[in-house]
Amino acid sequence: MTQHDPIDAAATALAGARRLLVLSGAGISAESGIPTFREAQTGLWARFSPQDLATPEAFAAQPERVLGWYRWRRALIARGGVNPGHEAIAALERHLPVVVATQNVDGLHAAAGSRDIAELHGNIWRDRCPNCGHETVLPVAEPDENAPFSRCPQCRALTRPGVVWFGEMLPVAALERAQVELEHCDCVLVVGTSNQVYPAAALVEQAVAGPATVIEVNPQPTAVSGAVDIRIAERASRALPAVVRALDEAPTAR
Ligand code: OAD
């Protein structure tokens, strides 16, 4: 393994690590055909203003418009499905314990086989009643675009996706899980996030300031790119399978 190659350096770091925390963002699902949030032209926000859709106020004022947007996003996710980046992160569990703390709501890490996931911004496949809190988990499948929007089986109120909207608090358990793992892991893999949304971005900053080896996978530079230990300026669906291959081929030095 040549260490100046970041793929090999990442595989070496992972081969020597005991526990891995993955901090993922929209970029890891970009190659599943799901637009990220801040990339110009293709980003979701390029077409919609967040204030018009991903807020409790928007849902109260125009529920059908907000639910229509989430139905469209569910269809995109179901059509795109997992990509080799998601699968590579699940494959890392062959080598060491992995916790995935994701900002993504698409459910694709679980679909790819990752088993220990903290969903910092919730999950689009959960349907929650804003009235009585009743929650159902939907299958990852294309929604019927002609079906009426779902209503709570208990109180008949229109249900909303179980995701964090602007102005809402993150699920405490997920955030605490990520925080605890950050204090115990010795390797952090930051993939596909622009690190602009807090408190998720604070986890990345804490990782970079902490003792763990930090690997960043992102074709574009971010605010932490200059401070991480290993930077792989590649798309996740190319970089991550290459790291897993290098790790699989590495002599079992454990
Ligand atoms: P962004 O859209 O802000 O950033 C996506 C990042 O992924 C960028 O840094 C891209 O360079 C990178 N990227 C794009 N394609 C990639 C690829 N193929 N492989 C690897 N990286 C790639 O998305 P997030 O950082 O996830 O929050 O945004 C965080 C939050 O902002 C979202 O969870 C959402 C949004 O507001 C809520 O909805 C609460």
Side-chain angles (χ1 to χ4, degrees), residues 25-101:
I28 193 161
S29 297
E31 287 157 281
S32 296
I34 301 161
T36 62
F37 289 86
R38 287 173 186 82
E39 280 169 342
Q41 291 89 42
T42 57
L44 287 178
W45 300 144
R47 280 174 241 136
F48 304 100
S49 125
Q51 277 58 37
D52 295 345
L53 295 162
T55 67
E57 296 75 18
F59 180 65
Q62 298 178 302
E64 310 254 318
R65 183 173 181 200
V66 170
L67 295 176
W69 186 56
Y70 279 96
R71 178 173 280 180
W72 171 69
R73 286 181 64 191
R74 282 174 174 158
L76 270 188
I77 295 164
R79 269 184 233 129
V82 301
N83 69 51
H86 300 111
E87 289 167 337
I89 285 183
L92 285 173
E93 293 184 15
R94 293 201 299 265
H95 293 276
L96 77 169
V98 181
V99 171
V100 179

Side-chain angles (χ1 to χ4, degrees), residues 21 23 188-193 195 204 207 214-218 224:
L21 172 62
L23 298 174
V188 179
L189 172 63
V190 183
V191 50
T193 179
N195 308 311
V204 177
V214 182
I215 304 163
E216 182 184 46
V217 175
N218 194 326
V224 300

Side-chain angles (χ1 to χ4, degrees), residues 112-126:
S114 290
R115 285 170 299 179
D116 197 342
I117 304 167
E119 294 177 318
L120 302 173
H121 293 164
N123 186 312
I124 202 169
W125 298 104
R126 283 209 205 95

